[in-house]
Amino acid sequence: MKIINGIVLGIAIIGCVNWGLIALFEFDLVAYLFGTMTMLSKIVYGLVGLCGLYLLTFYGKLSDR
């Protein structure tokens, strides 16, 4: 489970960096690498979104401690 958590966190960090680049420089790294709304870029955006939803479960784990 620790490996999955690390992968999910890494993907979420990539998404956060992408949003930071969009906000600061109006540069979309995912679109630059994979094309604007191609199937591959949609998959990347979808994975980032799913990872974000998965990370919401970490709040429940924090309250258990």
Side-chain angles (χ1 to χ4, degrees):
M1 196 64 167
K2 196 173 188 179
I3 293 172
I4 291 173
N5 290 345
I7 292 170
V8 167
L9 187 59
I11 292 172
I13 289 170
I14 291 168
C16 292
V17 168
N18 190 54
W19 276 109
L21 289 171
I22 291 170
L24 295 174
F25 305 110
E26 296 181 8
F27 177 72
D28 188 347
L29 183 62
V30 174
Y32 177 76
L33 293 175
F34 303 114
T36 304
M37 296 314 284
T38 63
M39 184 58 77
L40 192 54
S41 66
K42 288 180 182 182
I43 290 170
V44 171
Y45 290 129
L47 280 175
V48 170
L50 288 174
C51 289
L53 291 175
Y54 176 77
L55 289 174
L56 287 174
T57 65
F58 283 24
Y59 283 115
K61 294 175 184 177
L62 288 175
S63 65
D64 291 342
R65 293 184 181 190

